[in-house]
Amino acid sequence: MEHVVVVGAGLAGLRTVEALRARGHAGRLTLIGRERHRPYDRPPLSKAVLSGKADTSYVETDLAALGVEFRPGVEAKSLREGVVETTEGELAYDGLVIATGADPIRLPGDGPQHVLRTLDDAHELRAMLVPGARVAVIGAGWIGAEVATAARRAGCEVTVVEAAETPLATAVGTEIGARTERWYDGIDLRLSTMVESVEEGGVRLVGGGFVEAHAVVTGIGVRPAVEWLADADIDLHNGVVADEHLRTSLPGVVAVGDCAAWWSRRWRTRLRVEHWDTALNAPDVAAATLLGEEAVYDPVPYFWSEQFGHMVQYAGHHPAGERLVYRGEPEGKWSAVWLTAGDTVAAVLAVDRPRDLVQGRRIIEAGHRVDTERLVDPQVSLRDC
Ligand code: FAD
């Protein structure tokens, strides 16, 4: 393969470049990215960068040694077979990697609205987090909770507005979400509250209320960044449709990371996972596939979140209807385990119990039945259940 073009210079794009070289691709490699930064990690943005403990989170890599032509500030605009049209002209490719990630969803309204996706977003927002500042966070999901944590620590007066009846409802359901409500101590948490628009000076609520704020942060989710593919002859459905090898419907084109909706052999469904572990590990399979090798991406998905002094970790995939059991009480360290009808583990969420996460992930991988009576005893190690 002569020339491989990688669109999107986030973690997934960079890791694919590295994997292509590691697997022996000796031809030309071009990496284009819309941002002006070299590749960086996003998880620290809402943690160390927002709280001022770090200024950047660049991924350690040697682009020169990789022999990749890195072109920051270049955006892909459209795709036809063999050619990517960019803001700086056409790029012909023999192999193409789509790694364009996801973009935050914004709310209607003319008021200033922060989102947190890029390093620049994090710096802009950090400057607003000063003692006494009123900060309205819209959405009590992963990002909203982490922003609320940083804002509270910075001494801001924080209001969190959430449409669902509990935090984290979309991600892990209301039953578990309710267990996290107590973490919002000192925060004005408004549940079952819909935002109409973001206005100058705050947030207008459906039904007439207004939350005054110096800074409004919208954390209501992301959409796969695939608008540039709208006219391309490639299957799109909740992202770029890919098979278990991360191959798309176009020959010589693979997709990885937040933008890819890949077929999971393990769960027999299509998954699009917006988490760091996928961006880190899927690229090796994408690179292998592009080079004509046999590889399957079939992980037990994993992610973590650090919020209100808690380490929250999740592994697995839980379709609606799985049985939920707990290890430990909500006031302390606890885990939730989703069980299938056959008493195998579908997913684990561990709060300050990292061992449960590690052992739970192994049990999910192995797919064996567990003793549910032992499982609910937090003193019993998960691997002995
Ligand atoms: P991205 O990192 O989004 O990279 C895609 C790149 O492509 C971007 O730089 C984008 O500008 C560029 N691009 C988009 N369109 C184009 C185009 N048309 N042309 C050229 N370039 C383009 N995950 C966890 O597991 N745990 C966490 O604690 C965690 N915290 C997070 C905190 C924050 C603030 C954010 C934003 C994400 C967090 N994540 C976390 C998620 C994780 O960072 C993402 O899953 C990961 O960044 C996805 O990597 P990616 O390379 O697929 O996409």
Side-chain angles (χ1 to χ4, degrees):
M1 185 163 290
E2 200 33 54
H3 185 202
V4 176
V5 172
V6 180
V7 181
L11 184 65
L14 174 65
R15 288 293 179 233
T16 314
V17 165
E18 292 173 342
L20 282 164
R21 286 297 188 225
R23 287 180 171 274
H25 172 64
R28 211 178 135 204
L29 250 177
T30 304
L31 172 65
I32 69 166
R34 190 171 55 185
E35 294 180 65
R36 301 211 163 260
H37 295 283
R38 64 179 200 268
Y40 59 88
D41 268 326
R42 290 182 206 277
L45 301 184
S46 49
K47 305 171 184 73
V49 176
L50 204 54
S51 64
K53 289 188 194 123
D55 287 329
T56 60
S57 54
Y58 292 118
V59 180
E60 265 185 47
T61 192
D62 188 342
L63 293 172
L66 285 167
V68 58
E69 191 186 327
F70 174 44
R71 299 180 59 190
V74 176
E75 184 170 356
K77 300 306 275 180
S78 64
L79 173 70
R80 59 178 199 274
E81 210 167 327
V83 179
V84 178
E85 179 73 43
T86 80
T87 43
E88 300 204 353
E90 293 189 344
L91 267 177
Y93 67 82
D94 305 296
L96 176 69
V97 180
I98 300 175
T100 43
D103 289 324
I105 300 168
R106 290 168 190 266
L107 283 162
D110 297 332
Q113 187 174 163
H114 294 267
V115 291
L116 182 52
R117 184 74 196 177
T118 66
L119 191 53
D120 296 343
D121 293 339
H123 280 277
E124 245 178 56
L125 182 56
R126 185 167 91 181
M128 307 292 292
L129 303 187
V130 293
R134 288 185 176 190
V135 177
V137 180
I138 306 172
W142 303 117
I143 297 288
E146 293 194 355
V147 170
T149 302
R152 190 74 196 116
R153 282 199 186 133
C156 304
E157 282 179 40
V158 184
T159 301
V160 175
V161 183
E162 166 57 54
E165 52 194 274
T166 73
L168 299 181
T170 316
V172 290
T174 52
E175 194 179 319
I176 290 182
R179 282 193 162 214
T180 72
E181 263 179 64
R182 70 190 65 229
W183 300 348
Y184 286 73
D185 192 29
I187 288 176
D188 178 12
L189 174 62
R190 313 242 189 128
L191 297 168
S192 306
T193 304
M194 297 281 289
V195 169
E196 187 173 292
S197 58
V198 178
E199 306 292 337
E200 195 63 51
V203 177
R204 185 164 308 286
L205 304 175
V206 171
F210 194 84
V211 176
E212 284 183 17
H214 300 108
V216 176
V217 190
T218 304
I220 57 169
V222 294
R223 286 198 190 97
V226 294
E227 299 79 34
W228 66 283
L229 296 167
D231 297 327
D233 188 20
I234 188 169
D235 285 353
L236 301 176
H237 182 72
N238 180 30
V240 183
V241 173
D243 66 9
E244 59 195 17
H245 311 284
L246 303 178
R247 197 185 283 130
T248 71
S249 61
L250 268 184
V253 182
V254 292
V256 267
D258 280 12
C259 68
W262 39 273
W263 180 256
S264 164
R265 216 184 244 193
R266 183 184 303 274
W267 311 101
R268 291 190 207 91
T269 188
R270 201 167 290 290
L271 296 180
R272 193 175 63 76
V273 176
E274 295 160 359
H275 297 300
W276 185 86
D277 189 66
T278 300
L280 182 75
N281 291 310
D284 192 47
V285 172
T289 299
L290 208 50
L291 298 177
E293 297 162 29
E294 175 66 24
V296 170
Y297 186 56
D298 192 21
V300 171
Y302 162 74
F303 73 85
W304 81 98
S305 168
E306 296 164 39
Q307 44 182 284
F308 309 110
H310 297 284
M311 174 58 98
V312 183
Q313 295 168 290
Y314 174 100
H317 170 66
H318 65 276
E322 309 290 31
R323 189 156 48 106
L324 196 51
V325 295
Y326 295 97
R327 291 163 56 77
E329 298 305 318
E331 309 79 49
K333 301 175 178 185
W334 54 274
S335 298
V337 180
W338 284 264
L339 293 168
T340 66
D343 283 346
T344 61
V345 176
V348 177
L349 178 123
V351 175
D352 302 318
R353 290 179 63 99
R355 208 169 276 171
D356 275 5
L357 189 281
V358 173
Q359 294 178 358
R361 197 177 189 189
R362 282 198 200 121
I363 293 174
I364 300 168
E365 265 158 9
H368 64 66
R369 290 171 75 99
V370 287
D371 179 335
T372 53
E373 271 171 37
R374 286 169 68 73
L375 186 94
V376 293
D377 181 351
Q379 306 302 328
V380 177
S381 184
L382 255 189
R383 80 169 161 226
D384 297 329
C385 293

